[in-house]
Amino acid sequence: MVDSRLDSRQLLTRLRDTLAEDGDGQQRLDHITQLVAQGVGTEVCSVYLRRDRQTLELCATEGLKKESVHVTRLRYGEGLVGRVAKEAQPINAQNATAERGFRYMPETGEELYSSFLGVPVQRLGEVLGVLVVQSREQREYTEDEVYALEVVAMVLAEMKELGAFVADGEAMTPPHQRPIMFTGASAQEGAARGSVVLHDPKIVITNPVADDPEAEKERLNAAMDSLRISVNDLLNTSRSDTDVEQLEVMETYRMFANSKGWRARLEASIDRGLAAEVAVEKEQSATRARMARVPDPYLRERLHDLDDLSNRLLRILTGQGRSVGDELPDRPVLVARNIGPAELLEYGKKLRGIVLEQGSVGSHAAIIARAWAIPMVIHAEDITREALNGDTILVDGDQGIAHLRPDDNVATAFNDKIAMANKALERFSEIRDKPAVSTDGTRINLLMNAGLLADLPSLQGSGAEGVGLFRTELQFLVRNEMPKRTDLAQQYGRVFEAARGKPITFRTLDIGSDKVVPFLKPEDEPNPALGWRAIRISLDKPGIMRMQLEAILRAAKGRPVNIMFPFVAQFDEFKDAKAILEKTIENELRLGHVIPSDIKVGAMLETPSLAFAPNQFFEMADFISIGGNDLKQFFFAADRENERVRRRYDTLNVSFLTFLKQICERCFEFDTPVSFCGEDAGRPLEAMCFAAIGLRTLSMRPASIGPVKDRLRSVNLAEAKKAIEEACLSGDQSVRDRMRKWYADHQAED
């Protein structure tokens, strides 16, 4: 049996009383170490708190030398304390010196103590510190003692979040108040200042200790009943239109919601003295720690289900959390771990910026952000843990940086940057309706990319001469079931209406890789970017392609249309896709439907192989669009989602520019119109170089048209071509620096 001194509920009650006492954070923390040492019956109790993301600091101790407080520091993974923090799990050592990773800290005087028990002070998987007890006697702490210390550590985490331990020093600064800069990656350029809107807000728990355990268990049971009903309703309403595999996943979800083991562990924590919400968070922290250690993706996904259920249960218990219909603050900046296109669309274009912990430059959330010209930063690690709703945040999409709660100097410099950007916009608006004609008389056709009906108003306001790429997959990605032909035809019809007679190029379904639709069974592929995607799916499932082509043809109502097939790697794929289109046209005529007055059929050149296709391909294609984003990653063998490699390779690399020039020359040989479509087309320096090597049509996001047009109207492309040729002969890997200097010198001469 456990020593009678170990009464965790009584200990937690005393901890809560300590929280209510007068005094600063240091005094509270000192008192807590005394209470825990006395309550657990050990000579030593120490609390280490996180100083920064990689460093722990001894902030209070009972039993070790007092002069070591705020002096002793450890890196995550260093010593036993650092191991507890890094691995987010307890270490229970009978003889600490014999334990792997032991490090002796002479300034603490801990050489007197043999046994060691350290548990992480964590909240929702985030380690905020480490709670340690030590004894002279060599003994292994019992399971009950370990559990009791974990319960205490959980309450310490809640108290830390509430600001109960605020005092001098980095480790005891007020939570969620200091300025922090997050360095991530850019998914969309631009700068914005606004207020944080957390997609999944933190749950605030003001009383972590249960006054009445029986009442807490009643609250928990009522909340779990409500959770179980909502999950059952979700499953029952999905049975009619969900495939077997999805139903199996949802049945697993329901199994977790009905888990007696889960409920028993939560009730045990309440019996130990925790409030119901803290008991749920304690179990959730353990789940997230297990998720980080499980290599099997299937098991990791199941643990994610339990994590999601915990979030739902917390929202039921506390009544906290944001609903879609909630009003957004002025200048909202969305902060989230990750977000899908459907969820992002629910927020709408009111957002001023987006910052994600995860995400990718090729995700459809990023595509929507680019279409809306909303600055977006991805890979901002841990920002959801630091940010609170309403915090001031600066989003620097150009540098891939987010400043949370910035100081005055940073805010002033950032405001200057925004003011300069606004000034440039005024200049661009003056040339909106003017053509992109260089000083030597070369005209460049500037088109915009789109994927939503909401994008189309930008067609008139941006100065674009048409839609060079309309992404049709977004209508599929935001649905849980295959869209109907009539619905698609109506949506595409509205696109034609919004274009007001300007040309539109519809790209057929481009899914696969990172674009997964809920109603198609995902393929487990080792390299999805090179796998079953885009035209490959459409040719293997011709029914989907025919349905989509029928919707486009009917939406046109006799108006001309351009249709483009994505990710074509060889001539036969283009021939087969065009044959399906021709049969679809024949069938539409047989049914008496009006077909477009003119149908041009093209392909996206996104794989190097297509550049070397037989001559017949260039003769058969009515147009070719170079898909720069994919082509560049395959040309350099550098995954564009991998920040470590994608930035090593420059679009203005001599070899890539030479390859683009060769593609243009093949197209010119057969009089096949060719354009460049992608992010790089919207960058003024790159656009200038593309136009100089012969590309006469560029397609980009609407917000880029002004800056690109401004650049093209200010240069002599014949002279730029000569400068590029000289740069290519210089032996430099990229022409970027020389062309940037050439343009600056050219401007100075003018």
Side-chain angles (χ1 to χ4, degrees), residues 47 71 170 201 237 275 277 384 450 531 605 631 657 699 729 734:
V47 175
V71 174
E170 288 293 317
T237 56
E277 296 91 333
T384 59
L605 195 156
L631 182 63
L657 271 186
S699 190
L729 293 172
S734 170

Side-chain angles (χ1 to χ4, degrees), residues 83 106 112 152 215 221 282 287 325 505 596 606 731 742:
R83 265 186 61 199
L112 301 174
V152 172
N221 290 332
K282 180 180 181 300
T287 298
T505 298
E606 300 170 272
W742 175 86

Side-chain angles (χ1 to χ4, degrees), residues 632 636 649-658 660 680 683-690 724 727-728 732-737 739-740:
K632 189 166 70 171
F636 290 113
Y649 302 100
D650 189 357
T651 306
L652 299 183
N653 183 291
V654 169
S655 59
F656 190 62
L657 271 186
T658 302
L660 293 181
D680 291 317
R683 298 189 172 105
L685 183 63
E686 282 87 334
M688 179 185 76
C689 293
F690 293 160
I724 289 173
C728 288
D732 290 347
Q733 184 167 275
S734 170
V735 306
R736 181 174 300 278
D737 290 342
M739 291 309 298
R740 187 182 285 127

